């Protein structure tokens, strides 16, 4: 968002507030205007009533315009300023670099987790073999613990 647009939104906001205050003031002036004691009292009261209705309708319209401006400001706040392609290229490059670093760290953590799971499974398998009575050397064809862990050696 450029500087011109900022001032434009601020000017629109200030004009809307000024218009709301003017409408409200006119409505109060019409409501509190004293009626003449003689002459055309009914006509004067009718004009005041019509003025109040007109100013009230104008007040509602101005408040709706202010709410629309409020929604526009919130939309700009959420989406941020629109940038042309190529603007903030250094910032985008830094964000891309950070994203790559996070992806590498995440992959490393997953690899470490998989290694830990594999080591735990090997230890559980060795424990189960030892609990079952170890190797069956009397039959000659039993599997040793070194064949179960893929030849990784003995457990600590």
């Amino acid at each position: 968002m450029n500087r011109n647009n900022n001032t434009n939104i601020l000017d629109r906001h200030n004009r809307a507030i000024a218009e709301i205050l003017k409408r409200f003031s006119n409505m109060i002036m019409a409501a509190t205007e004293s009626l003449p004691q003689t002459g055309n009292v009914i006509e004067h009261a009718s004009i005041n009533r019509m003025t109040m209705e007109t100013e009230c309708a104008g007040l509602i319209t101005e408040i709706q315009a202010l709410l629309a401006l409020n929604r526009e400001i919130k939309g700009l706040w959420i989406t941020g300023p629109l940038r042309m392609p190529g603007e903030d290229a250094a910032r985008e490059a830094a964000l891309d670099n950070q994203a790559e670093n996070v992806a590498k760290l995440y992959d490393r953590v997953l690899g470490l987790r998989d290694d830990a799971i594999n080591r735990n499974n090997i230890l559980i398998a060795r424990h189960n073999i030892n609990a079952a009575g170890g190797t069956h050397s009397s039959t000659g064809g039993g599997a040793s613990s070194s064949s179960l862990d893929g030849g990784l050696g003995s457990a600590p």
Side-chain angles (χ1 to χ4, degrees):
M1 190 176 345
N2 60 18
R3 189 102 164 119
N4 246 354
N5 201 9
N6 282 342
T7 357
N8 184 21
I9 289 176
L10 187 57
D11 287 342
R12 286 172 46 201
H13 175 266
N14 289 338
R15 281 193 307 268
I17 294 295
E19 198 62 33
I20 287 171
L21 291 173
K22 184 181 90 175
R23 295 281 184 172
F24 185 75
S25 176
N26 291 345
M27 190 173 65
I28 296 300
M29 292 299 288
T32 58
E33 188 175 351
S34 62
L35 297 174
Q37 297 295 327
T38 60
N40 52 3
V41 175
I42 295 176
E43 291 85 4
H44 196 72
S46 297
I47 289 173
N48 285 351
R49 179 174 174 246
M50 216 167 67
T51 303
M52 287 187 339
E53 287 176 359
T54 304
E55 291 299 328
C56 186
L59 181 65
I60 290 170
T61 304
E62 293 300 328
I63 290 173
Q64 288 173 343
L66 184 63
L67 289 173
L69 180 63
N70 187 20
R71 282 191 297 273
E72 183 180 340
I73 290 171
K74 285 180 183 178
L76 290 172
W77 191 4
I78 291 171
T79 60
L82 298 177
R83 291 183 284 278
M84 299 299 291
E87 285 185 43
D88 296 336
R91 181 177 177 220
E92 290 177 17
L95 288 174
D96 289 343
N97 189 22
Q98 289 175 353
E100 287 178 22
N101 289 341
V102 168
K104 287 177 186 175
L105 288 173
Y106 181 72
D107 290 341
R108 184 174 174 205
V109 167
L110 287 180
L112 291 173
R113 182 194 65 142
D114 291 344
D115 291 345
I117 290 172
N118 288 339
R119 281 194 304 274
N120 190 30
N121 287 342
I122 290 170
L123 290 175
I124 291 172
R126 284 184 184 163
H127 181 308
N128 289 342
I129 288 172
N130 289 338
T135 60
H136 299 286
S137 58
S138 62
T139 59
S144 70
S145 65
S146 63
S147 66
L148 285 175
D149 65 6
L152 293 178
S154 63

